[in-house]
Amino acid sequence: MKIVCFGDSLTRGISYVKGRLRIIKDNYPNSLAKLTESLPFVEVLNKGVFNDNSDLLVSRIDKDVMSENPDIVLIEVGGNDCNFHWDEVAKNPEGNHEPIVPIERYLENITHLVKQVQDKHVTPFLLTLPPLDPARYYRSIAERFGPSIGHFVSQVGGIEHWHGMYNRQLKNLAEELKVPLIDVRSYIKSAGDLNHLISDDGIHLTSKGYQQMSMAIFSDLQKHMAGKALPQS
């Protein structure tokens, strides 16, 4: 059984370590691969790309995912979709700014990804957006682009507002499409102190956070595979 982890920097395994964004070895695909060692004939591939959004996932699903002939595709994306071009916000904090991928197009993209996977008789799983720490996130953004973004944030409700809205709409879409959804957001929130699970930039995870994410995924995959014959290859 081949599992492809398809997504953005949270799939790639980015964390903020000692003042820099780094790829860490203890990312969720690697942690998931270790958890699946107890299962026969399971291979886990990491197809996460830093800074990806759902537009970019649509553009590369054939090359990076379907060409691998997977049995399961774990789709994790949304944090960059609901984010903003902060350089533009800093220049014009009084202006109107749309998320990088508006919610309507985000949902259309997710629907396209799901149907493309299903058309190949492959099972898609949608992953909720992991939690974030708004205070630490805005502190890191302000350090890069200046404090003028504070006015815009106060007017639109902040990234936590958009993050939560995209996550709710994703959950509704999963129900509408009748595809399994793994609620990594709730699992991580209940796993302990978020200061230890979310890295210092407020939006990526620590190695402990990625481990919790992989445990949530593994638990749901076990339920999915219970009673199913695994391919011997």
Side-chain angles (χ1 to χ4, degrees), residues 82-200:
C82 67
N83 210 348
F84 292 85
H85 292 292
W86 292 111
D87 54 341
E88 297 176 7
V89 172
K91 292 175 184 176
N92 182 20
E94 300 277 353
N96 294 321
H97 300 276
E98 288 289 325
I100 292 172
V101 179
I103 185 67
E104 295 82 6
R105 193 164 85 237
Y106 170 69
L107 296 173
E108 289 173 1
N109 286 341
I110 297 297
T111 301
H112 175 83
L113 293 170
V114 165
K115 293 189 179 301
Q116 196 155 350
V117 170
Q118 290 177 329
D119 284 348
K120 299 295 185 181
H121 307 290
V122 176
T123 302
F125 281 75
L126 297 178
L127 276 57
T128 58
L129 281 66
L132 48 72
D133 182 335
R136 284 193 286 169
Y137 179 66
Y138 283 125
R139 191 155 51 242
S140 70
I141 292 297
E143 287 173 358
R144 292 169 58 196
F145 299 104
S148 65
I149 65 167
H151 175 79
F152 173 75
V153 169
S154 69
Q155 297 300 307
V156 303
I159 189 65
E160 64 274 22
H161 164 73
W162 296 92
H163 210 259
M165 181 179 70
Y166 277 54
N167 192 63
R168 289 190 298 274
Q169 291 296 324
L170 178 65
K171 293 171 77 171
N172 291 338
L173 181 64
E175 186 174 341
E176 178 185 326
L177 297 176
K178 295 181 171 56
V179 297
L181 178 132
I182 303 177
D183 191 0
V184 298
R185 187 186 190 90
S186 296
Y187 191 97
I188 295 172
K189 281 184 174 181
S190 65
D193 188 347
L194 290 181
N195 285 325
H196 300 306
L197 302 176
I198 299 174
S199 69
D200 286 342

Side-chain angles (χ1 to χ4, degrees), residues 1-3 40-44 71-72 224-225 228-233:
M1 175 173 288
K2 184 181 287 187
I3 301 171
F41 315 113
V42 174
E43 180 184 6
V44 179
D71 299 287
I72 289 174
H224 171 74
M225 292 187 288
K228 290 194 173 187
L230 297 178
Q232 300 187 12
S233 60

